[in-house]
Amino acid sequence: MNDSHRAGDLPAGEGTRAVRAGLPEPVKYEPTLPGPVFAAHFHLPGEPTGPYTYGRDENPTWTHLEHAIGELEAPGEDGVETLVFASGMAAISSVLFSQLRAGDAVVLPSDGYQALPLARAQLEAYGIEVRTAPTGDDAQLGVLDGAKLLWIESPSNPGLDVCDIRRLVEAAHARGALVAVDNTLATPLGQRPLALGADFSVASGTKQLTGHGDVLLGYVTGRAGEPMTAVRRWRKIVGAIPGPMEAWIAHRSIATLQLRVDRQSATALAVAEALRGRPEVTGLRYPGLPEDPSHKVASQQMRRYGCVVSFTLPTRERAERFLEALRLVDDATSFGGVRSTAERRGRWGGDAVPEGFIRMSVGAEDAEDLVADVVRALEESAL
């Protein structure tokens, strides 16, 4: 299997990089992106000195995808590794449970992804102290002393608060703590946590990275060294590996990442602008809006502001009527797909949000059509 193109060999344009990322050197009569390799084991005569020995450890299809993600997360950098996982939570767990031991302390966001409380309970069962603080106003700074790991989620999900990643990283490193940033909502085209000083960039590839709602995937990117070696060891022990077909679909999908992100970010801003003047809408959040509380910080560390818009309608019933009235937006969880989705987030019970809180993921529909659908649904839901 030929090595993928080195990141430094690719042009700087993000669209070009996304299209070419992770492709192997061309070989006559072979496909530009080789098909998925389905193998539990490989021919292995003599001493096991090659890269592929057993399917839980490595797979050529993973390798191409890992190179592709690494080229997007840290373009042009040597010594950066990416590991892919079966899901975003597998990737999150790999960092938490490979870096922390009984007696350590970790700082998590109190307003992060709703599965983090499940991770917290397990960490505490293992004798690890868990501290929490909100993402906004860099509040995690207040509980950093003595921590082994700081976990940042910026923008936060679902509230869309943003923290100053550089500031938190500098403070954490000064105290001897590692820093992981959940980059799911931003994607590597929105922000690059490693360039902001973080030790790990972690994400769910289920969301906008792949963008079609048809695979579960996660990844961890970090600089080569013991922390990433420990993450790799955790993956081997737990076996939280993606299937080769999922990895291949993810790599195929990354080719359109810039097209999707640019379209979805522009349309998300149009939707947010249409919502901000509506009397029934409160708590509107989108980091790309100039008046958003997070805009100033976001504009200093993000290149694109994402596809998620959040807002609150007066009551649970009004929110349900709004969702029912939408024609171009599916009532579904998750975010980042080419087809717009929205949900009343409180139905899950894991987020501290009002009953009428809506998380909307803006897809790749024409902005005019989507805005018209949202405005019409708001008006119909008032009846």
Side-chain angles (χ1 to χ4, degrees):
M1 185 67 64
N2 294 308
D3 291 337
S4 296
H5 293 303
R6 289 170 52 87
D9 295 336
L10 290 175
E14 289 183 322
T16 302
R17 189 176 298 278
V19 168
R20 308 291 307 177
L23 297 182
E25 294 291 344
V27 176
K28 191 174 183 178
Y29 305 127
E30 292 191 6
T32 54
L33 177 61
V37 175
F38 299 100
H41 58 265
F42 301 82
H43 288 296
L44 198 65
E47 295 299 317
T49 57
Y52 305 111
T53 58
Y54 187 64
R56 190 181 70 252
D57 300 333
E58 294 288 352
N59 178 287
T61 309
W62 303 352
T63 300
H64 293 315
L65 175 60
E66 289 169 344
H67 287 170
I69 294 171
E71 289 166 16
L72 297 177
E73 283 279 356
E77 286 194 43
D78 292 323
V80 172
E81 298 180 18
T82 295
L83 297 171
V84 290
F85 291 82
S87 69
M89 276 308 299
I92 289 171
S93 299
S94 76
V95 174
L96 293 173
F97 293 104
S98 70
Q99 306 302 314
L100 298 167
R101 304 288 184 271
D104 289 340
V106 60
V107 176
L108 301 179
S110 59
D111 55 344
Y113 179 49
Q114 68 166 4
L116 285 180
L118 299 176
R120 174 179 184 164
Q122 193 62 55
L123 289 165
E124 291 176 334
Y126 289 156
I128 296 163
E129 178 189 355
V130 180
R131 308 170 188 166
T132 63
T135 299
D137 298 322
D138 301 341
Q140 290 175 302
L141 285 172
V143 291
L144 268 180
D145 286 350
K148 175 72 177 298
L149 176 68
L150 166 63
W151 190 274
I152 293 171
E153 188 177 302
S154 181
S156 62
N157 172 30
L160 302 182
D161 267 324
V162 171
C163 62
D164 186 334
I165 295 176
R166 289 187 187 89
R167 183 186 182 201
L168 266 67
V169 166
E170 290 174 1
H173 285 172
R175 293 163 171 79
L178 296 169
V179 180
V181 176
D182 186 328
N183 204 37
T184 303
L185 201 146
T187 82
L189 299 192
Q191 69 187 8
R192 298 191 185 112
L194 269 61
L196 299 172
D199 301 287
F200 304 101
S201 180
V202 187
S204 168
T206 309
K207 311 299 193 297
Q208 196 171 21
L209 184 81
T210 56
H212 292 79
D214 52 9
V215 294
L216 290 175
L217 194 87
Y219 71 86
V220 179
T221 299
R223 293 183 177 83
E226 177 51 35
M228 281 299 290
T229 298
V231 172
R232 183 183 295 273
R233 185 184 308 121
W234 190 93
R235 183 178 72 172
K236 178 182 177 73
I237 293 169
V238 177
I241 58 173
M245 191 68 197
E246 286 80 2
W248 186 87
I249 291 172
H251 195 171
R252 185 275 315 269
S253 300
I254 285 174
T256 62
L257 179 61
Q258 189 230 20
L259 301 173
R260 292 184 282 105
V261 167
D262 281 350
R263 174 65 170 262
Q264 290 171 259
S265 297
T267 305
L269 179 59
V271 169
E273 289 172 341
L275 289 170
R276 66 181 172 189
R278 302 288 307 191
E280 68 272 67
V281 171
T282 59
L284 174 65
R285 297 299 303 271
Y286 182 68
L289 283 173
E291 65 269 28
D292 187 272
S294 293
H295 179 73
K296 181 178 180 181
V297 174
S299 66
Q300 295 168 353
Q301 62 192 24
M302 299 183 72
R303 304 187 313 286
R304 297 168 177 85
Y305 298 107
C307 63
V308 177
V309 178
S310 67
F311 57 97
T312 300
L313 294 177
T315 64
R316 171 177 179 163
E317 292 73 22
R318 178 71 185 274
E320 296 286 6
R321 292 197 302 270
F322 167 72
L323 293 170
E324 180 66 25
L326 290 166
R327 296 171 184 166
L328 298 180
V329 183
D330 297 329
D331 193 342
T333 194
S334 197
F335 58 85
V338 292
R339 288 173 288 278
S340 292
T341 61
E343 68 174 337
R344 191 182 64 81
R345 192 64 186 164
R347 66 181 177 174
W348 298 101
D351 297 308
V353 295
E355 286 289 337
F357 180 93
I358 300 291
R359 184 184 72 180
M360 181 174 180
S361 172
V362 174
E365 299 88 358
D366 289 317
E368 296 83 359
D369 294 338
L370 191 59
V371 168
D373 191 44
V374 168
V375 171
R376 181 195 50 75
L378 283 172
E379 293 172 351
E380 288 187 7
S381 65
L383 303 177

